[in-house]
Amino acid sequence: MAVKAGFGNAANALADWDGGRDHCAWRGVACDNASFAVFALDLKGNKLTGQIPDEIGDCVSLKYLDLSFNSLYGDIPFSISKLKQLEDLILKNNQLTGPIPSTLSQIPNLKTLDLAQNQLTGDIPRLIYWNEVLQYLGLRGNSLTGTLSPDMCQLTGLCDVRGNNLTGTIPENIGNCTSFEILDISYNQISGEIPYNIGFLQVATLSLQGNRLTGKIPEVIGLMQALAVLYLHGNKLTGEVPPELGNMTKLSYLQLDDNELMGTIPAELGKLEELFELNLANNNLEGPIPTNISSCTALNKFNVYGNRLNGSIPAGFQNLESLTYLNLSSNNFKGQIPSELGHIINLDTLDLSYNGFSGPVPATIGDLEHLLELNLSKNHLSGSVPAEFGNLRSVQVIDISNNAMSGYLPEELGQLQNLDSLNLSYNNLSGHVPSARNFSKFPMESFLGNPMLRVRCKDSSCGNSNGPKVVISRWGIACIVLGFIILLCVMLLAIYKTNRPQPLVKACEKPVQGPPKIVLLQMDMAIHTYDDIMRLTENLSEKYIIGYGASSTVYKCVLKSGKAVAVKRLYSQYNHGAREFETELETVGSIRHRNLILSRADDNTVMEAVDSEVSVTCTDMGLVRKAFQLALLCTKRHPIDRPTMHEVARVLLSLMPAPAVKPVTASKTVDYTRYLATTPDMDHGGADIGDNSSSDEQWFVRFGEVISKHTM
C-alpha cells in the first residue's frame, strides 16, 4: 500500500489495490505460489503520474518491474538498486529526468535495462557496461551526452543509444564487441571515420546513420556475413561504394543515401538476392544503372534520386516483380521509357521526373493497377496521354507537367475516382478537359500552360462559375505584362510632353501664355476681361446660346452693370500667329463704339459682338464692315504687306458721302469704293482698275482678299 500511496493518481489507476483483499489479486501484481511474495510488478500503460516511490525498493523479491508508458517524472530512485533479484527493469516512455544512477550496476542479475524515450541527461555510467549478465541496454531517445566508452564492448547483447547528444568518435576497439547482435548509435553527433576493424563485428544490424561521419566506407564491411541491415545514410561519407558490399549475401536493407559518395553503382550489388531496399539517393553517383540489378528479385524499393546517373532504364526491371517503389528522379537519364515497366505489377510509386526521357508514354503504364503515384514531370515526353491511364483505378497522384504532350485528354481519365492530385500544366494539350465530376475539384493551376486546352468550369473550384475558359500560357502572360508596361510608358511620355516647358520660338510663332486679352471698343464702358466673360457665361454654357451660324455661335452675356451684350464665337480655319492676332485686336480696339467687343479664345477662335443699336448712329452697316476690313489690312506683321497712310486716307475718303459740287469733266477720277466690294475672285491684273497708280490698284486687290478672309 505504501507503493500505491507514492503514485500521484493511484486512487483511480490502482483502485483495486485494497488492503482488505489478497494483494496477489491486485492489478499488475504477480506472486510466488509458495511464498506469496511479489516477484513481478507490471503497471505499464496505467496513466500513472508523479514520481517513482522510494518504497519500491522494499519489494526485495521483485524480478520484473515494468512502469513503462506512463507519465512518471523526476529522478530514478536509488532505492531500486536494493532489488538484488531484479532481472528486468523497464522504465521507457515516461518523463524521467536527471542522470542514470550508477548504482544500477550493483544489481547483479540485471539482464534488461530499458530507459528509452525519457529526458535523462548526463553521461552513460561506465560501470553499467561491466555488468556481465546485461544483454540489452536501451537508452535511445534521451538527452545523454558524453562519448562512447571503449568499455561498451563488455556488453554481451544489444546496445541502443540512438537519438541522444553523444559526441566524439566511434571507439577504435569497436571490432572487439564480438558479442553484439545490434549496434545502433544513430542520430547523435558522432564524428570521425568509421574504424577499419568494424568489419569484425558479427552484428545483424549496424545503424550509424544521422551522424557526422566522414571518410570512406571501409571495404572490410563486406566481411560482415551476418549483416542484414546496414544504415549509413545522413552522414558526410565520401569515396566510392565498395564492391565488397556485394559479398554480404544476407543483406536486406542497404541505405547509403544523403552522403557525398561518387563513382558508379557497383555491379556486384546485383548478387544480393535477398536485398529488399536499396537507397542511394542524394549522392554524386554517375554512369548507368547496372543491368544485373534486375537480378535482385526480392527488391521492394529502389531509390537513386538526386544523382548524376545517365543512360536508360534497364529493360530487365520487368523481372522485379516485388518492386513497389521506383524513384529515378533528378538524374540525367535519357531515351524512351521502356514499356516493360508496365509488367512490374506491384508497383505503387513510379517517379521518373526531372530527367531527359523522350518519346511517348508507354500505354502499358496503364496496366499498373496498384499504382498510387505517377510522376513523369520535367522531361521531354511527347505524344498523347494514353487512354489506358483510365485503368489506374487506385492512382491518387498524376503529374506529367512540363513536357511536350499533345492531343486531346482521353475521356477515360474521368474514371479515376481516387485521383486527388492532377498536374497537366505546361504541355501542348488541346481540346476540352473531361467533364467528369472528379475533374471539377482540380484547380486551374493543373491545366496552365496549355494554350489550346479549354476547361469547363462548373463551380468556383476551378476559377469560374460558368462557361468555358481558356488557359493562358506563360508566353501569353508575359505578352500581357509587356503590353501593359508599354502602355504605361506611352502614358507617362504623354504626360511628360504635356507638362514640360515650351521651347523658345520666334516672336511670330510664340503662343500666348495665360488668358487672352479683351479689347473694349467703347472706352466709356467698364472693362471686362476674358475671365469675366467666361464666368458670366459659365464657360460659354449652352443655356446662354441665342443663335447659331455656319461658322459661329452667339451667346448672351449680362455684364456686371446689368447691360446685356452678345458674344459671337468664330471658329477660324487658319492658324495665324498669336502676335499678329493681338496686333489686329489692338488696332481694332482704337475704334470707339460702345457695344463692340472682340476676343481671342484660348483655342484660337475669334469672339465678336456688335450690338444691334449701332445701327442708330451708323445707318450703313456695310461701311462699318469695310472700315474694320481696312483696319485688319493695316495690322499685317510685315510693313511690305500693309498699305501706306496715304492709301488708307484715300480709301477712307471714298467711304465718306461726296459733297455737292459741280461736275468736273476735265479729269477722270477713280471709284475706290468698287474695290472695297471686290470678291476674292477678282482678277489681279484686271483692266478696269482705272488710271490710278499700280500701287493703289494692288492694295485694293489685296484689300479685297482680306475682306473675304475676315468677313464678320
Side-chain angles (χ1 to χ4, degrees):
M1 296 298 295
V3 173
K4 175 182 177 180
F7 293 114
N9 61 340
N12 297 324
L14 304 177
D16 59 347
W17 283 31
D18 189 352
R21 297 178 56 192
D22 181 10
H23 67 276
C24 293
W26 293 351
R27 178 191 304 180
V29 176
C31 297
D32 183 84
N33 293 330
S35 63
F36 299 103
V38 177
F39 73 87
L41 190 58
D42 186 357
L43 299 178
K44 64 175 178 291
N46 277 283
K47 300 181 180 179
L48 297 173
T49 61
Q51 297 185 354
I52 300 174
D54 287 333
E55 291 79 4
I56 202 77
D58 297 334
C59 302
V60 293
S61 299
L62 276 179
K63 294 183 178 181
Y64 182 90
L65 176 60
D66 189 349
L67 302 177
S68 61
F69 295 98
N70 285 289
S71 299
L72 301 173
Y73 57 85
D75 295 344
I76 299 174
F78 287 96
S79 60
I80 292 181
S81 303
K82 297 188 297 181
L83 304 175
K84 302 302 181 180
Q85 299 185 39
L86 193 63
E87 296 179 357
D88 299 290
L89 177 59
I90 306 174
L91 305 178
K92 65 181 179 181
N93 291 88
N94 280 284
Q95 301 172 18
L96 301 174
T97 57
I100 300 173
S102 59
T103 55
L104 293 180
S105 62
Q106 300 174 8
I107 305 175
N109 297 315
L110 193 61
K111 298 178 181 179
T112 301
L113 177 58
D114 194 346
L115 307 178
Q117 304 299 333
N118 280 284
Q119 301 172 20
L120 301 173
T121 56
D123 296 349
I124 302 173
R126 297 182 61 179
L127 292 177
I128 288 181
Y129 296 131
W130 288 92
N131 191 322
E132 296 179 355
V133 297
L134 190 61
Q135 298 176 2
Y136 178 79
L137 177 61
L139 302 177
R140 74 162 56 191
N142 283 281
S143 300
L144 299 172
T145 56
T147 61
L148 290 174
S149 171
D151 297 331
M152 65 186 297
C153 290
Q154 302 301 319
L155 293 174
T156 59
L158 184 150
C159 181
D160 184 359
V161 293
R162 174 190 180 113
N164 282 278
N165 296 320
L166 300 176
T167 57
T169 61
I170 300 175
E172 290 294 334
N173 65 335
I174 193 67
N176 298 330
C177 301
T178 55
S179 60
F180 281 4
E181 296 179 2
I182 296 175
L183 176 60
D184 191 345
I185 59 175
S186 60
Y187 299 105
N188 281 278
Q189 301 179 35
I190 297 173
S191 57
E193 297 185 358
I194 301 174
Y196 188 82
N197 64 358
I198 201 170
F200 300 137
L201 291 175
Q202 297 302 314
V203 295
T205 299
L206 178 60
S207 298
L208 307 181
Q209 72 272 20
N211 282 287
R212 302 176 181 178
L213 298 174
T214 57
K216 297 181 179 181
I217 301 174
E219 297 87 347
V220 293
I221 288 183
L223 300 176
M224 303 171 68
Q225 297 298 315
L227 195 63
V229 178
L230 177 58
Y231 290 157
L232 301 178
H233 54 281
N235 283 285
K236 299 180 180 180
L237 299 173
T238 57
E240 299 183 353
V241 178
E244 290 79 5
L245 297 183
N247 298 327
M248 297 184 292
T249 56
K250 294 184 179 181
L251 193 63
S252 297
Y253 294 87
L254 177 58
Q255 294 191 5
L256 306 179
D257 49 295
D258 294 299
N259 280 286
E260 299 174 9
L261 300 174
M262 59 186 65
T264 60
I265 300 175
E268 287 77 4
L269 296 183
K271 298 187 297 182
L272 302 176
E273 297 180 356
E274 297 185 14
L275 190 63
F276 185 82
E277 180 177 352
L278 176 58
N279 194 338
L280 303 173
N282 281 318
N283 281 284
N284 299 315
L285 300 175
E286 300 176 339
I289 298 175
T291 57
N292 62 347
I293 291 294
S294 58
S295 300
C296 301
T297 54
L299 195 61
N300 181 265
K301 294 183 179 180
F302 182 67
N303 187 357
V304 291
Y305 160 81
N307 282 281
R308 302 174 185 174
L309 299 173
N310 52 42
S312 58
I313 302 175
F317 270 28
Q318 64 179 324
N319 299 324
L320 302 176
E321 297 180 356
S322 300
L323 194 65
T324 63
Y325 181 91
L326 178 59
N327 191 342
L328 308 181
S329 60
S330 298
N331 280 282
N332 299 320
F333 292 114
K334 295 183 179 180
Q336 295 189 0
I337 299 175
S339 59
E340 289 80 4
L341 290 184
H343 301 157
I344 311 175
I345 58 176
N346 292 310
L347 201 61
D348 60 38
T349 300
L350 177 59
D351 192 345
L352 306 180
S353 60
Y354 289 89
N355 279 288
F357 291 114
S358 58
V361 178
T364 56
I365 298 296
D367 297 333
L368 302 174
E369 58 183 11
H370 300 293
L371 195 64
L372 300 177
E373 180 177 347
L374 174 63
N375 192 344
L376 305 178
S377 62
K378 297 293 181 72
N379 281 285
H380 305 297
L381 300 173
S382 58
S384 59
V385 178
E388 289 77 6
F389 275 16
N391 299 327
L392 302 174
R393 302 303 174 88
S394 301
V395 73
Q396 299 175 0
V397 177
I398 293 180
D399 189 350
I400 56 176
S401 62
N402 292 278
N403 280 285
M405 306 292 291
S406 59
Y408 299 128
L409 288 177
E411 292 293 334
E412 289 80 358
L413 292 180
Q415 304 172 6
L416 306 179
Q417 299 302 320
N418 293 317
L419 189 61
D420 295 327
S421 177
L422 175 66
N423 193 347
L424 305 174
S425 60
Y426 302 108
N427 281 282
N428 296 317
L429 300 172
S430 57
H432 291 273
V433 170
S435 57
R437 181 181 302 176
N438 63 324
F439 267 77
S440 63
K441 64 184 177 182
F442 300 126
M444 290 302 298
E445 288 77 8
S446 297
F447 311 104
L448 285 177
N450 293 279
M452 303 303 295
L453 183 64
R454 300 177 69 85
V455 183
R456 295 187 180 94
C457 293
K458 296 184 179 180
D459 51 43
S460 59
S461 64
C462 61
N464 196 356
S465 57
N466 48 51
K469 183 172 181 179
V470 178
V471 179
I472 302 176
S473 66
R474 287 179 292 182
W475 287 106
I477 295 175
C479 292
I480 292 174
V481 174
L482 181 60
F484 175 77
I485 294 175
I486 294 176
L487 178 61
L488 182 61
C489 292
V490 171
M491 294 175 63
L492 293 176
L493 182 61
I495 295 174
Y496 169 74
K497 288 188 174 181
T498 302
N499 297 330
R500 68 176 182 175
Q502 297 294 328
L504 295 175
V505 296
K506 296 181 180 179
C508 61
E509 299 175 350
K510 181 178 180 180
V512 178
Q513 303 293 332
K517 297 180 180 179
I518 286 292
V519 179
L520 186 65
L521 303 184
Q522 177 62 31
M523 299 309 295
D524 59 353
M525 184 178 176
I527 295 178
H528 291 78
T529 64
Y530 172 78
D531 291 335
D532 294 333
I533 299 297
M534 297 302 289
R535 182 174 63 256
L536 294 172
T537 60
E538 299 180 20
N539 292 324
L540 300 180
S541 174
E542 292 184 355
K543 67 181 181 180
Y544 292 98
I545 296 177
I546 58 176
Y548 294 95
S551 61
S552 63
T553 302
V554 181
Y555 301 83
K556 180 180 179 180
C557 177
V558 180
L559 303 178
K560 296 178 181 178
S561 62
K563 182 70 174 180
V565 297
V567 178
K568 185 175 183 180
R569 183 176 184 176
L570 299 180
Y571 304 102
S572 176
Q573 298 178 354
Y574 303 94
N575 295 323
H576 298 291
R579 180 58 185 167
E580 179 178 340
F581 185 72
E582 290 181 2
T583 304
E584 293 174 355
L585 291 179
E586 292 171 358
T587 303
V588 176
S590 63
I591 302 176
R592 296 174 178 270
H593 196 284
R594 62 189 179 92
N595 291 324
L596 179 62
I597 300 177
L598 285 178
S599 172
R600 181 185 65 81
D602 58 344
D603 56 353
N604 290 330
T605 61
V606 177
M607 300 176 59
E608 173 183 294
V610 178
D611 197 307
S612 59
E613 294 181 4
V614 74
S615 60
V616 176
T617 57
C618 301
T619 58
D620 190 347
M621 295 301 296
L623 295 178
V624 174
R625 182 174 63 254
K626 292 178 181 180
F628 279 112
Q629 292 169 347
L630 176 61
L632 292 175
L633 183 62
C634 295
T635 62
K636 289 292 184 178
R637 175 174 176 78
H638 300 289
I640 192 172
D641 296 328
R642 299 196 292 265
T644 64
M645 293 303 298
H646 172 71
E647 294 164 339
V648 172
R650 293 177 62 181
V651 173
L652 292 177
L653 288 174
S654 68
L655 298 178
M656 299 181 62
V661 296
K662 295 181 179 180
V664 179
T665 60
S667 61
K668 185 178 180 180
T669 62
V670 180
D671 185 6
Y672 290 103
T673 59
R674 65 191 180 104
Y675 295 106
L676 296 176
T678 306
T679 65
D681 296 325
M682 78 187 309
D683 189 0
H684 288 229
D688 327 337
I689 298 299
D691 55 359
N692 286 295
S693 66
S694 61
S695 175
D696 290 345
E697 295 171 356
Q698 294 174 357
W699 283 116
F700 282 117
V701 171
R702 295 168 64 180
F703 181 50
E705 295 176 353
V706 174
I707 294 174
S708 66
K709 294 180 180 180
H710 299 277
T711 302
M712 297 200 226

